Amino acid sequence: MEFTLKTFIFYGFALMTIASALAVVTVRNIVHAAFALMVTLFGVAGLYVFLQADFLAATQVIVYVGGILVLILFGVMMTSGRLEMRIHIERGQLLLGGGISLALLMLLLTVIANTPIWKNLTDDGTQLAPTTERIGQLILNEKFLLPFEVVSVLLLVALIGAALISRKEVRD
Amino acid sequence: MSDFFSDGFFKNINLQDSSNWATDFVQDVIIPRLPEAVAGHFSVELGTVIVMLVCAGIFVAVVPLLPLVLVLAERKVAARFQNRTGPMRVGPWGTLQTLADGLKLIFKEDFIPPQGDKVLFLLAPYVIFACSFAVFAAIPFGQDILVSDFNIGIFYIMAISSVIVMGVIMAGWSSNSKWSLLGSLRSAAQIVSYEIPLGLSILTIVMLVGSLSMREIVASQDGGIFTWIIFRSPFTFIAFFIFFISAIAEVNRTPFDLPEAESEIVAGFHTEYSGMRFALFFIAEYANMFAVSAIGVTLFLGGWQGVLPGYDFLGGLPGFVIKTLGLVFLMMWLRWTLPRLRVDQLMNLCWKYFIPISFFNILGTGIWGLIFKEDDVWSIGISCAIIYIALISAYAIAGRNLARRPEPQPS
């Protein structure tokens, strides 16, 4: 394989993602794990850019890093008294978790094995265009309009639920 | 210098053709000018990396100079507002004061709290610093002075600036101090809340222009002052003020400076920082202030386009900088005029006023777009008339209410 600048940056992002993902599951300190997750999410956003999914990459950062991760950190900082906790795993959990991981690994290996050739998408003449416009049109077309609306209703329900739970009891 | 820019030095990438401006620059400009003996061995890839690093270097070198000027400007403005003279000792009229302060900070002890989290403590300033700098990559300073013309320009800026909050939390938590933690939690709550009206007011512009690219947003405002997006419809006029106030909240400046309220929580998330690390926070703060003003100018006030169509008056790089500094001055003015908000007032303003108004704006912009298919003279005329009438009546109402208020009695 030709070693160009692009492949160099790609392996940089891949390494970043995998190393930080390993850190997320191995580090003892929960806050450190959360910050390692930030690096993982950034790495995945970088990989999206390599797939020419620019809009998705920015959305990934804005939603996961700017929103969800902040919420996770809020949760961790507000609730846990001890940050260094010993995580002990029981045998049943180990079997179950190991089984699921193994199944996932087999699935991914099958996908990798069945992918015919590793090729650069731009080489075979297909023009890669910015995705924002196409995503917008697909979401507001008949094709994906219903799922999109269902998801927005779900989010609204979650929002109202959160407001209901966190609201003070009013006695009258 | 202009020859240097017109060589296509800052001409840009576009995902559409997946070519790279730096590669083009190396192939078209550098290689033909090299001596023949060297040219054969010159790697385009390596040249691309070098050109990109040089470009990034220009920004990393220029942007810290901004705070040098802005800090002094802020102190002078504050002094004038309070009938003082401000710094006068170092250099003529105190112009070298910031430089002296910067030198002092470099030589200060770099103290790391022993009970804190050392790794995160050291990392936090860099996260904030890097994110404030990355924003500058997508701001068009002039016709060809743009590092990268992303197709998703403004969305990229929002994404990157939303990461700053992670740096703030990191700094606050790793300091292991209650002031820092309180400051960082306040800051996070504030930034996450105000991002919503900010994003929604940007969305009105995106609806109007039909593109997320910063270059195209500026290009759509090329017909003089009345085609600037702020005057295109009454709704964008409202959106500008929501954008600007939310942006002040995003960069944590008075009246929204609860995260670093001196009288309550010492200095907020950077209480424990000293020396150069503190200076990094300081530089990032002023760079952010400049960046949000520059974004405001790009989105609402015509970017680098001039005031009159066809003339270069207040256009190009100088015009852009003048407009941006105008907004920066407005921020300073507000800071030294208004008192700090309480937390509940802050959240009320965001959730009960700005967000509903922003949604109303989006609806209005949609209807406006349906009525006026093209941006013609009529739509701009009508919009300017509505804005004028609204401003006059607001002035009249405010004047009457102020006149009715009883004079404060001397105690």
Side-chain angles (χ1 to χ4, degrees):
Chain A
M1 189 160 69
E2 199 188 349
F3 196 74
T4 60
L5 183 63
K6 266 188 182 170
T7 49
F8 183 73
I9 300 173
F10 171 78
Y11 282 112
F13 273 121
L15 194 70
M16 187 170 124
T17 314
I18 293 169
S20 58
L22 271 177
V24 173
V25 290
T26 50
V27 162
R28 278 277 156 73
N29 189 326
I30 308 180
V31 176
H32 282 188
F35 283 115
L37 190 61
M38 174 176 95
V39 182
T40 314
L41 295 170
F42 255 112
V44 174
L47 295 179
Y48 281 142
V49 173
F50 271 91
L51 293 169
Q52 307 273 350
D54 48 357
F55 188 78
L56 194 58
T59 314
Q60 162 93 4
V61 173
I62 208 167
V63 171
Y64 284 96
V65 181
I68 290 175
L69 206 51
V70 172
L71 282 183
I72 291 176
L73 278 168
F74 258 58
V76 169
M77 286 175 185
M78 297 282 200
T79 52
S80 71
R82 318 172 313 178
L83 292 159
E84 301 273 340
M85 57 166 75
R86 290 201 62 79
I87 302 165
H88 52 92
I89 304 163
E90 282 161 28
R91 193 164 292 164
Q93 289 174 324
L94 197 68
L95 276 176
L96 193 68
I100 292 172
S101 308
L102 206 66
L104 196 64
L105 180 72
M106 294 308 285
L107 183 73
L108 286 176
L109 282 178
T110 322
V111 171
I112 291 170
N114 287 339
T115 306
I117 320 157
W118 291 96
K119 61 183 175 185
N120 194 341
L121 279 173
T122 40
D123 288 345
D124 58 350
T126 48
Q127 192 67 276
L128 287 163
T131 50
T132 318
E133 208 177 323
R134 277 187 293 162
I135 290 174
Q137 274 165 357
L138 279 177
I139 282 180
L140 296 177
N141 261 349
E142 297 86 37
K143 207 168 177 185
F144 295 110
L145 186 60
L146 187 66
F148 181 65
E149 291 299 325
V150 169
V151 167
S152 61
V153 169
L154 180 72
L155 283 176
L156 186 67
V157 169
L159 206 66
I160 295 170
L164 194 71
I165 291 168
S166 65
R167 163 187 94 128
K168 280 194 200 117
E169 285 284 326
V170 182
R171 289 203 195 103
D172 47 5
Chain B
M1 201 63 180
S2 63
D3 176 53
F4 180 64
F5 287 136
S6 62
D7 265 349
F9 188 67
F10 284 102
K11 288 253 180 198
N12 285 306
I13 24 172
N14 194 335
L15 269 175
Q16 223 147 7
D17 51 18
S18 81
S19 71
N20 188 310
W21 58 271
T23 316
D24 291 345
F25 180 73
V26 170
Q27 270 168 347
D28 302 341
V29 183
I30 292 183
I31 290 186
R33 290 180 191 177
L34 286 175
E36 272 182 37
V38 187
H41 304 287
F42 193 78
S43 150
V44 177
E45 293 276 335
L46 188 67
T48 308
V49 176
I50 292 169
V51 168
M52 282 177 158
L53 284 178
V54 167
C55 277
I58 292 173
F59 271 84
V60 174
V62 169
V63 175
L65 293 179
L66 284 173
L68 212 62
V69 181
L70 291 182
V71 172
L72 184 76
E74 170 118 54
R75 296 181 65 178
K76 283 287 185 187
V77 167
R80 287 291 158 199
F81 274 50
Q82 299 168 343
N83 209 1
R84 296 185 281 120
T85 51
M88 289 294 276
R89 296 297 172 86
V90 191
W93 301 287
T95 39
L96 298 176
Q97 182 66 49
T98 339
L99 203 63
D101 288 344
L103 277 176
K104 186 194 74 179
L105 280 175
I106 292 172
F107 291 119
K108 285 267 180 180
E109 185 194 354
D110 179 20
F111 181 75
I112 300 166
Q115 305 294 314
D117 191 314
K118 196 180 170 196
V119 181
L120 292 183
F121 187 83
L122 298 183
L123 217 59
Y126 298 111
V127 172
I128 294 179
F129 198 64
C131 292
S132 343
F133 271 66
V135 167
F136 281 88
I139 297 175
F141 289 91
Q143 188 150 24
D144 286 325
I145 316 173
L146 167 59
V147 175
S148 198
D149 178 29
F150 299 106
N151 179 258
I152 51 162
I154 185 65
F155 198 48
Y156 159 83
I157 289 177
M158 287 207 64
I160 289 293
S161 51
S162 76
V163 181
I164 292 178
V165 68
M166 291 300 290
V168 171
I169 295 178
M170 217 185 235
W173 186 78
S174 64
S175 299
N176 198 17
S177 140
K178 55 191 165 200
W179 313 123
S180 302
L181 189 62
L182 280 174
S184 74
L185 287 182
R186 278 186 181 188
S187 176
Q190 181 174 326
I191 293 178
V192 169
S193 307
Y194 275 88
E195 225 159 56
I196 302 168
L198 195 80
L200 291 176
S201 58
I202 289 173
L203 194 61
T204 51
I205 302 161
V206 174
M207 281 171 75
L208 207 70
V209 178
S211 172
L212 290 166
S213 153
M214 294 294 261
R215 181 186 287 265
E216 278 179 40
I217 288 173
V218 178
S220 77
Q221 314 179 54
D222 63 348
I225 188 164
F226 290 110
T227 56
W228 290 0
I229 288 177
I230 182 170
F231 297 122
R232 286 266 199 90
S233 81
F235 305 105
T236 47
F237 191 75
I238 304 170
F240 171 71
F241 291 97
I242 290 181
F243 172 86
F244 192 63
I245 297 169
S246 307
I248 296 174
E250 284 264 298
V251 296
N252 297 335
R253 283 181 64 84
T254 326
F256 304 104
D257 67 338
L258 293 116
E260 39 197 88
E262 291 93 341
S263 51
E264 299 165 20
I265 47 172
V266 190
F269 60 88
H270 54 64
T271 304
E272 303 295 331
Y273 283 86
S274 59
M276 206 51 214
R277 288 181 205 286
F278 171 72
L280 282 182
F281 281 117
F282 217 64
I283 292 173
E285 189 187 326
Y286 278 87
N288 269 339
M289 196 172 140
F290 189 83
V292 292
S293 301
I295 295 164
V297 167
T298 310
L299 295 180
F300 291 95
L301 303 177
W304 49 264
Q305 308 273 12
V307 174
L308 299 169
Y311 291 94
D312 219 18
F313 179 63
L314 264 188
L317 182 61
F320 183 82
V321 173
I322 288 170
K323 282 189 249 181
T324 308
L325 290 181
L327 284 190
V328 169
F329 174 71
L330 201 60
M331 281 190 179
M332 291 175 180
W333 186 356
L334 288 172
R335 171 166 180 185
W336 296 103
T337 309
L338 296 174
R340 183 183 302 135
L341 266 69
R342 290 197 314 263
V343 178
D344 58 325
Q345 290 170 329
L346 182 90
M347 288 298 157
N348 269 354
L349 183 69
C350 178
W351 293 94
K352 292 189 183 163
Y353 294 95
F354 280 5
I355 293 177
I357 295 173
S358 301
F359 279 121
F360 166 75
N361 261 340
I362 289 177
L363 191 69
T365 311
I367 294 168
W368 189 269
L370 278 181
I371 298 172
F372 303 102
K373 295 283 180 208
E374 296 279 309
D375 267 315
D376 51 9
V377 183
W378 276 109
S379 76
I380 290 166
I382 291 171
S383 118
C384 287
I386 293 174
I387 290 168
Y388 182 73
I389 293 166
L391 279 182
I392 293 290
S393 43
Y395 182 73
I397 293 167
R400 216 174 51 201
N401 286 350
L402 286 178
R404 221 188 280 147
R405 190 185 291 170
E407 280 287 308
Q409 297 295 321
S411 52

